[in-house]
Amino acid sequence: MKYLPVRSRLQILSDLRAVEIFLSLVETENLTRTAEALSIAPSTVSKKLTELELRANVRLFHRTTRQLSVTPAGQAFYRQCARLLDEAEAVERTLNPDAEDPAGLIRMTTPTALGERVVGPLIPGFLRRYPKISVELDTSARTVSLLSEGYDLSIRLVHASNLTDNDTVLSWNRRRFCASPAYLARHGTPQHPGELSQHNCLAMRLGSTGDSWVYTEDGRSRTVSITGSLRSNNAHFLAEAAAENVGIVLMGPFVVEEFLRDGRLVRILVGYEPRDTAVSAIMSDGAMASQHVSLFVDYLKSVWPLPGQPEPDGQ
């Protein structure tokens, strides 16, 4: 008879409202924003946090006069509490099947070109379907930390060998070597990737990378050193430059498809393309059980416009 205890089984989590406040504080790192989001006084936020830390007997946040940052213990606590609160919401929906439509904010991040060309145009359809859900989209070439930066979801490009159980594959992405007809007429068409070192290669610049390209030959991945007059973390900008006869690019179909369709770019070195990368959705630990985030991932899977299987080698 474990549900007839002589005392409460819950000590630290006896106040779920305090847990809800704690989760919001981790995501906002700001007492005032949390108070505004939950429509309570800042003093209540501070009081509930202090009570929670006293019950837990652990520091959940580092505090200064200007900054609030979660501790390692707080991060671990956040992951567990996020699942707990989402499960509690699920229980409420079970008891009240006529509850309101799914609601909540989805904070997500994607690479710039992928966000602009594919993810962004898909969002309005989702918002029309679920009008009480809102989306905050950050397009950036940098790698973000889902937990510390408060994101629920990341759409990213992942090498197939690096996929984990947390990745939901939306599509497969085979990058293509491309150049404009005018550039090739002027400089010649390379017949082997080794010749790329003699061409102007327009490469993505991510951190210190960008001085070599990967290609596939005889079923093995190889690299070739490249140089070029233009580097950028914006793939679409590089594709535009290639279409203006500046050089050669190695880009995914979601970037170069329109250029290939209108003939401004053509494919070269067909059969030497790098192995596929996956377009993957990965949710933060706290968002994994969130209904509104899961609904968005399911929506993306159902409407994603690119092929769902890897291209065979040599195509």
Side-chain angles (χ1 to χ4, degrees), residues 109-110 138 140-149 151 153-154:
T109 176
T110 75
D138 174 43
S140 173
R142 68 186 181 89
T143 301
V144 304
S145 169
L146 293 182
L147 176 58
S148 65
E149 298 186 48
Y151 288 103
L153 178 67
S154 173

Side-chain angles (χ1 to χ4, degrees), residues 176-196:
R176 288 114 183 238
F177 295 101
C178 301
S180 71
Y183 174 89
L184 297 174
R186 185 177 304 121
H187 300 281
T189 301
Q191 302 301 310
H192 185 274
E195 299 172 31
L196 289 171

Side-chain angles (χ1 to χ4, degrees), residues 235-254:
H236 193 261
F237 169 67
L238 293 175
E240 286 279 6
E244 292 296 327
N245 315 320
V246 176
I248 296 174
V249 291
L250 175 60
M251 295 289 172
F254 60 87

Side-chain angles (χ1 to χ4, degrees), residues 21-92:
I21 290 170
F22 163 72
L23 294 175
S24 180
L25 280 171
V26 172
E27 294 166 0
T28 66
E29 296 186 333
N30 186 283
L31 287 168
T32 302
R33 287 204 297 270
T34 286
E36 291 173 350
L38 298 178
S39 300
I40 57 178
S43 59
T44 300
V45 174
S46 181
K47 177 183 177 183
K48 289 290 187 181
L49 175 59
T50 299
E51 291 174 351
L52 184 60
E53 287 184 321
L54 286 173
R55 287 196 300 273
N57 194 30
V58 68
R59 179 66 63 87
L60 300 174
F61 288 94
H62 297 299
R63 299 175 179 81
T64 67
T65 54
R66 294 186 177 183
Q67 190 173 10
L68 192 70
S69 60
V70 66
T71 64
Q75 291 177 348
F77 191 52
Y78 173 88
R79 290 192 290 269
Q80 298 294 327
C81 286
R83 286 193 287 269
L84 171 67
L85 203 62
D86 286 326
E87 289 171 4
E89 283 184 320
V91 170
E92 289 191 355

Side-chain angles (χ1 to χ4, degrees), residues 280-298:
S280 169
I282 183 167
M283 291 181 278
S284 68
D285 289 343
M288 283 183 181
S290 298
Q291 181 193 28
H292 58 295
V293 181
S294 297
L295 283 172
F296 184 68
V297 173
D298 290 341

